[in-house]
């Protein structure tokens, strides 16, 4: 499928024409007289031995003069990178667009293509044409002019970008246009591709532009058509939509995954450029293909095309991270102060590559010349800062060593040749170069560089010791002594002498403490422990306090650090008299009636106390009366409140009057928990015999429920003599007698729906019919029932 795709796209390829550069003449098949003059351009011959292997179609060396037709084409070169990250496959392809016919040809080279070929260069090719491909074979032609080798151009300033989103008829994108716009330009978390290039270029490169689509094209999604069949219809749709494509430096096409293996394709080093994205939700694919547009090749290892995970030009689908140090040097995005050439053996600091220059305490790149080639070694320190937070964990806090060519040379792949943790080394035995990673802090790594086999004298690098306390937190009553284990580590480099650290405690005022031993002697890298005892003040309030130990070596400048922990003071348990109340404070009823009261109890103990069991009982009552509690006890934590129902029933022969009912609380474990309160039961006066007319039926009964109670209200009834009160029923059970036109039921079971009704009675105990029922339960709201009447008030 991959070969099929390579051949398909070579048939017709209509990338942007680019900028006209110097002209080249490529000669094939040992043709004589290949050097020709072209107006207004510099002509150059390239021997076929300079020309390298292509993909798709037979190798040029396998074609003879009978295979294909002789052809001579003058036109402009386009170089494309085809990126298949999943299969670790990449191909660099070359195309020429004939100036006269506007036809596009794919060039098939033998061996390695000349390094000085550039997108946008104009040159002449003579070879054998088969369809839309031209094959170049080795011959003995010699260059007739000086070859001017150009490096990747430094990219800076605003990059005017148009993103065109498209679907195929038989395949749809998994990303919306808004998601792609956010990913490219407008992400609110400052994680867009624009934000990325602003950070990695130290603010020298930024994107501006537009996102258009989604358009629908007739192009198949199976790679069966020339590649221009994918891009041209999208250009046409955008222009028909009013987009002036000539205004943009960068054209990005976002399309569904084609199944051909490519995550993205990018033209190399030209303006205007094109990038094609087939994995719309992978930010680093967008950044990678734009990197090709800017002129960067791949971030490789000696054994893998995409093997350098420390750079955006390595494998995709990993996350946005900075270009590696060699690509940073190539792009020229660091100031000279941040990119230092090292020529002598010695010890050098290097700041994290991903820091803003203003925050860097040392250079961010160290360059070492590689004497046996035109290459350099690039030394950098990688930490998870900024977009480098997306680095895979094994690339965190390491020193990288990259190999790349001298600045100004034609671009090629960079190569990661070393990743050094502290104590690890990279050695180039052929050139007697050694790089040792000897120490690091969050602000910089320290490396030791040796040239010509020399070993620089070890350098002592002092660092603050590491002090920690264990446990990190403890709690106790005021005045208690607690102990902490203190660990001290000497972080000086190996070349330093032993240090003696004095240990002193840091405590709140009026507290006391000591550290044993009071000092520790430590060689570089060594660790020791001590014990800190801390006694809080007896007057300390309940709160969390910082305690700590400082380790100080006063013999070598500022050489100290502090470790901290916490001591939480908790007060002892303070029992208190509970709060008790009964609601309502008074109710009235005819003799023999059962009345329901709500008893509330609050545990007023301090927070340091545990839960308590309160025993409840109703006090003595007149002879024949009865009382019952829904529960005989309440288990309450400090500060908690509990309620239970109390039912009191008078005898039928009760004499009218006011009767006090007492409720008491006791706790066998705590005498302070004994308390009591009272409520009143009013027995109604004798009813006149002559009144036989009941009050009117209560109307407008409504219920409003919450998690604690059902609140009932209704309109007042009327009576020929006077309404004495109301009786409230939950189902068929009388739950309250009240003089008001409202009642709160706390006793119902939460989540169970009940039918509530109300009757009115007068002094003669004439009782109205029941109101219209209303349904309600604790925890749910229900509308009112019944009809007629306004807001009730108690009749006279």
């Amino acid at each position: 499928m991959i070969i099929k795709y390579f051949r398909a796209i070579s048939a017709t390829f209509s990338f942007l024409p680019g900028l006209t550069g110097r002209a080249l003449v490529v000669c094939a098949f040992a043709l004589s007289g290949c050097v020709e003059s072209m107006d207004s351009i510099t002509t150059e011959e390239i021997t076929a031995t300079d020309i390298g292997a292509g993909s798709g179609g037979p190798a040029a060396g396998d074609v003879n003069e009978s295979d294909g037709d002789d052809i001579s084409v003058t036109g402009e070169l386009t170089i494309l990178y085809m990126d298949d990250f999943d299969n670790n496959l990449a191909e660099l392809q070359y195309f020429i667009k004939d100036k006269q016919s506007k036809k596009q040809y794919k060039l098939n080279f033998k061996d390695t293509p000349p390094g000085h070929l550039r997108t946008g260069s104009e040159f002449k090719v003579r070879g054998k044409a088969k369809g839309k491909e031209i094959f170049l074979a080795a011959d003995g032609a010699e260059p007739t002019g000086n070859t001017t080798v150009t490096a990747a151009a430094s990219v800076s300033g605003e990059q005017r970008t148009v993103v065109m989103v498209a679907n195929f008829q038989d395949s749809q994108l998994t990303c919306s246009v808004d998601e792609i716009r956010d990913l490219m330009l407008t992400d609110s978390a400052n994680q867009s591709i624009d934000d990325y290039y602003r950070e990695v270029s130290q603010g020298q490169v930024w994107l501006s532009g537009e996102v258009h689509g989604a358009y629908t094209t007739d192009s198949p999604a199976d790679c069966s058509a020339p590649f221009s069949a994918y891009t041209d219809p999208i250009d046409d749709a955008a222009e028909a939509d009013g987009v002036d494509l000539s205004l943009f430096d960068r054209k990005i096409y976002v399309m569904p995954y084609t199944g051909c293996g490519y995550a993205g394709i990018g033209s190399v080093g030209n303006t205007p450029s094109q990038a094609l994205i087939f994995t719309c939700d992978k930010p680093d694919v967008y950044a990678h293909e734009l990197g090709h547009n800017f002129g960067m090749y791949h971030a490789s290892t000696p054994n893998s095309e995409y093997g350098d995970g420390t750079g955006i030009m390595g494998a995709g689908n990993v996350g946005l991270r900075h270009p590696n140090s060699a690509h940073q040097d190539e792009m020229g995005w660091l100031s000279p102060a941040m990119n230092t050439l090292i020529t002598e053996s010695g010890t050098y600091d290097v700041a994290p590559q991903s820091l803003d220059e203003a925050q860097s305490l040392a250079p961010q790149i160290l360059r070492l010349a590689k004497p046996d080639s035109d290459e350099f070694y690039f030394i950098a320190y990688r930490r998870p800062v900024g977009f480098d937070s997306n680095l895979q964990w094994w690339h965190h806090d390491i020193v990288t060593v990259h190999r790349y060519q001298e600045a100004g040379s034609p671009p090629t792949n960079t190569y990661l040749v070393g990743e050094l943790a502290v104590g690890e080394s990279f050695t180039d035995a052929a050139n007697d170069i050694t790089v040792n990673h000897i120490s690091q802090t969050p602000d910089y790594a320290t490396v030791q560089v040796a040239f010509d086999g020399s070993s620089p004298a070890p350098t002592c690098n002092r660092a603050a010791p590491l002090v920690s306390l264990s446990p990190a937190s403890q709690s106790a009553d005021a005045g208690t002594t607690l102990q902490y284990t203190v660990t001290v580590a000497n972080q000086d480099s190996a070349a330093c002498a032993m240090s003696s650290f004095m240990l002193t405690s840091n405590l709140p005022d009026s507290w006391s403490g000591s550290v044993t031993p009071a000092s520790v002697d430590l060689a570089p890298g060594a660790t020791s422990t001590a014990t800190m005892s801390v006694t809080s003040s007896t007057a300390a309030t309940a709160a969390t306090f910082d305690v700590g130990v400082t380790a100080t070596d006063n013999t070598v400048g500022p050489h100290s650090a502090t470790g901290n922990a916490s001591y939480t003071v908790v007060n002892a348990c303070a029992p208190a008299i509970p709060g008790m109340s009964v609601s309502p404070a008074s109710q009235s009823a005819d003799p023999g009636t059962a009345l329901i009261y709500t008893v509330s109890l609050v545990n007023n103990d301090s927070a340091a106390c545990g839960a308590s069991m309160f025993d409840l009982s109703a006090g003595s009552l007149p002879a024949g009366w009865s009382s019952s509690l829904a529960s005989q006890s309440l288990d309450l934590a400090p500060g908690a409140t509990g309620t239970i129902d109390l039912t009191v029933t008078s005898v039928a022969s009760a004499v009218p009057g006011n009767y006090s009912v007492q409720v008491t609380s006791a706790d066998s474990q705590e005498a302070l928990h004994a308390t009591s309160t009272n409520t009143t039961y009013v027995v109604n006066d004798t009813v006149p015999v002559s009144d036989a007319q009941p009050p009117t039926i209560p109307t407008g009964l409504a219920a409003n429920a919450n998690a604690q109670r059902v609140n009932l209200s209704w309109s007042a009834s009327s009576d020929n003599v006077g309404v004495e009160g109301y009786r409230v029923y939950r189902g068929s059970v009388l739950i309250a007698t009240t003089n008001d036109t409202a009642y709160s039921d706390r006793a119902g079971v939460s989540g169970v729906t009940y039918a509530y009704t109300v009757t009115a009675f007068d002094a003669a105990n004439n009782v109205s019919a029941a109101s219209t029922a209303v349904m309600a339960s604790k925890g749910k709201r229900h509308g009112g029932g019944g009809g007629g009447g306004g807001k009730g008030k108690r009749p006279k």
Side-chain angles (χ1 to χ4, degrees):
M1 176 63 76
I2 293 173
I3 297 298
K4 173 183 176 183
Y5 186 50
F6 288 162
R7 288 177 175 169
I9 67 170
S10 68
T12 304
F13 207 101
S14 58
F15 269 78
L16 294 170
L19 298 176
T20 299
R22 58 188 175 81
L24 308 175
V25 177
V26 180
C27 304
F29 301 111
L31 299 173
S32 62
C34 65
V35 179
E36 299 184 4
S37 296
M38 290 184 285
D39 293 340
S40 72
I41 60 175
T42 302
T43 303
E44 179 185 345
E45 274 186 61
I46 301 175
T47 65
T49 55
D50 292 331
I51 300 173
S55 299
D62 298 330
V63 180
N64 57 48
E65 294 192 18
S66 63
D67 294 328
D69 301 321
D70 291 335
I71 191 171
S72 176
V73 173
T74 299
E76 196 170 87
L77 178 71
T78 296
I79 305 175
L80 302 175
Y81 249 123
M82 331 290 283
D83 290 309
D84 179 0
F85 301 122
D86 291 342
N87 295 299
N88 198 33
L89 295 174
E91 183 172 359
L92 202 58
Q93 295 196 2
Y94 300 80
F95 297 85
I96 186 171
K97 188 173 185 179
D98 185 53
K99 292 176 66 176
Q100 300 299 323
S101 67
K102 306 303 181 183
K103 292 181 180 179
Q104 194 95 20
Y105 295 92
K106 179 186 175 186
L107 300 181
N108 289 277
F109 295 103
K110 182 176 178 61
D111 301 324
T112 302
H116 49 273
L117 298 180
R118 290 290 179 275
T119 293
S121 298
E122 185 176 297
F123 63 98
K124 176 177 280 189
V125 155
R126 290 180 180 179
K128 292 289 187 178
K130 297 189 71 174
K132 295 293 185 179
E133 299 185 62
I134 298 176
F135 295 89
L136 310 173
D139 66 279
E142 296 292 335
T144 60
N146 294 325
T147 299
T148 302
V149 178
T150 60
S154 177
V155 177
S156 63
E158 179 183 18
Q159 307 298 304
R160 294 166 298 175
T161 305
V162 59
V163 183
M164 292 170 282
V165 182
N167 292 305
F168 301 138
Q169 292 284 2
D170 52 356
S171 182
Q172 303 293 308
L173 276 168
T174 58
C175 307
S176 70
V177 173
D178 286 341
E179 288 171 335
I180 294 170
R181 181 178 293 105
D182 281 347
L183 186 152
M184 282 295 302
L185 300 168
T186 60
D187 182 69
S188 60
N190 298 322
Q191 296 294 301
S192 69
I193 303 302
D194 171 45
D195 295 313
Y196 168 79
Y197 272 109
R198 287 175 188 268
E199 178 177 304
V200 302
S201 71
Q202 298 288 332
Q204 297 181 60
V205 173
W206 63 94
L207 307 184
S208 66
E210 303 168 3
V211 180
H212 295 282
Y215 306 117
T216 300
T217 76
D218 294 328
S219 305
D222 60 358
C223 307
S224 61
F227 203 78
S228 59
Y230 296 89
T231 57
D232 286 354
I234 299 174
D235 283 347
D236 293 341
E239 289 175 344
D241 198 24
V243 182
D244 185 353
L245 298 180
S246 67
L247 299 177
F248 298 98
D249 306 309
R250 312 294 173 193
K251 290 170 63 176
I252 297 177
Y253 303 83
V254 184
M255 293 173 282
Y257 185 67
T258 62
C260 305
Y262 295 115
I265 296 175
S267 62
V268 182
N270 62 315
T271 304
S273 63
Q274 283 186 317
L276 295 95
I277 309 299
F278 302 104
T279 47
C280 63
D281 59 341
K282 306 296 184 186
D284 58 344
V285 176
Y286 293 77
H288 182 104
E289 301 309 330
L290 273 171
H292 285 320
N293 296 164
F294 294 161
M296 289 183 274
Y297 279 39
H298 282 148
S300 305
T301 63
N303 299 315
S304 174
E305 179 77 16
Y306 299 111
D308 179 8
T310 70
I312 193 65
M313 301 311 293
N317 306 339
V318 175
L320 293 171
R321 66 272 190 208
H322 279 234
N324 63 40
S325 54
H327 277 136
Q328 283 278 23
D329 176 73
E330 179 182 43
M331 289 291 100
W333 288 337
L334 290 179
S335 68
M338 292 292 109
N339 189 351
T340 300
L341 177 64
I342 303 300
T343 59
E344 297 180 354
S345 299
T347 301
Y348 301 92
D349 293 331
V350 56
Q353 182 188 313
S354 50
L355 283 181
D356 184 275
E357 286 193 14
Q359 299 174 325
S360 297
L361 303 182
Q364 292 175 298
I365 295 177
L366 305 178
R367 286 179 290 121
L368 317 176
K370 188 173 180 291
D372 62 347
S373 68
D374 62 352
E375 296 174 303
F376 281 78
Y377 290 117
F378 296 83
I379 313 300
Y381 179 33
R382 302 304 290 272
R383 297 202 67 243
V385 177
F387 279 99
D388 264 359
S389 297
N390 297 315
L391 282 170
Q392 293 152 307
W393 65 265
W394 53 88
H395 301 306
H396 290 184
D397 300 306
I398 50 92
V399 167
T400 58
V401 183
H402 285 83
R403 174 172 57 83
Y404 193 49
Q405 61 202 6
E406 183 178 11
S409 301
T412 62
N413 289 1
T414 64
Y415 292 94
L416 175 67
V417 294
E419 289 191 83
L420 312 179
V422 173
E424 295 181 338
S425 300
F426 166 79
T427 299
D428 176 355
N431 292 289
D432 289 330
I433 297 175
T434 301
V435 179
N436 296 314
H437 182 184
I438 59 176
S439 66
Q440 66 187 38
T441 71
D443 295 322
Y444 54 84
T446 301
V447 297
Q448 195 175 61
V449 178
F451 291 104
D452 302 324
S454 64
S455 297
T459 301
C460 170
N461 292 285
R462 296 289 184 181
L466 181 64
V467 183
S468 61
L469 273 63
S470 177
S473 62
Q474 298 187 75
S475 60
D477 293 339
T480 303
T481 299
L482 298 178
Q483 291 187 333
Y484 298 80
T485 298
V486 183
T487 302
V488 184
N490 185 344
Q491 299 195 106
D492 294 347
S493 67
C496 297
M498 179 179 290
S499 291
S500 180
F501 294 97
M502 300 297 296
L503 305 180
T504 56
S505 59
N506 308 309
L507 305 175
D509 293 341
S510 74
W511 291 33
S512 61
S514 61
V515 183
T516 306
S519 66
V520 290
D521 295 331
L522 295 175
T527 299
S528 184
T529 60
T531 300
M532 178 177 70
S533 296
V534 179
T535 303
S536 60
S537 167
T538 56
T541 58
T544 297
F545 299 85
D546 289 332
V547 296
V549 171
T550 298
T552 305
D553 174 12
N554 291 322
T555 63
V556 191
H559 197 204
S560 67
T562 298
N564 292 297
S566 65
Y567 183 130
T568 300
V569 175
V570 294
N571 288 334
C573 171
I577 299 172
M580 177 179 272
S581 62
V582 180
S583 177
S586 175
Q587 294 189 81
S588 62
D590 294 338
T593 301
L595 296 179
I596 298 176
Y597 301 82
T598 299
V599 180
S600 296
L601 188 70
V602 181
N603 185 345
N604 290 325
D605 292 351
S606 69
C609 299
S612 295
M613 183 68 73
F614 296 86
D615 298 322
L616 303 174
S617 61
S620 59
L621 296 169
W625 289 43
S626 64
S627 65
S628 64
L629 288 163
S631 175
Q632 298 298 314
S633 62
L634 286 173
D635 188 5
L636 300 176
T641 299
T643 61
I644 57 172
D645 284 346
L646 166 67
T647 303
V648 180
T649 306
S650 61
V651 296
S653 59
V655 176
N658 297 341
Y659 296 84
S660 179
V661 179
Q662 185 181 58
V663 181
T664 61
S665 166
D667 179 0
S668 61
Q669 304 299 315
E670 177 54 60
L672 278 176
H673 287 170
T675 189
S676 64
T677 191
N678 294 284
T679 186
T680 301
Y681 186 123
V682 179
V683 177
N684 293 330
D685 291 337
T686 305
V687 179
V689 177
S690 60
D691 184 7
Q693 181 177 331
T696 60
I697 299 171
T699 60
L701 177 61
N704 184 286
N706 57 36
Q708 302 295 326
R709 62 182 67 86
V710 175
N711 298 312
L712 302 171
S713 63
W714 56 90
S715 298
S717 298
S718 60
D719 186 67
N720 61 324
V721 176
V723 176
E724 185 67 15
Y726 301 89
R727 294 170 184 165
V728 183
Y729 293 84
R730 185 194 314 118
S732 60
V733 177
L734 174 65
I735 61 172
T737 299
T738 179
N739 303 107
D740 296 326
T741 56
Y743 179 76
S744 293
D745 179 21
R746 298 172 178 267
V749 178
S750 180
V752 176
T753 301
Y754 298 99
Y756 291 88
T757 55
V758 178
T759 63
F761 62 91
D762 59 16
N765 203 24
N766 297 308
V767 181
S768 72
S771 69
T772 301
V774 64
M775 308 299 291
S777 65
K778 288 197 292 186
K780 298 181 179 180
R781 294 182 179 273
H782 293 269
K791 181 176 180 181
K793 65 180 179 180
R794 186 174 180 180
K796 300 296 184 179

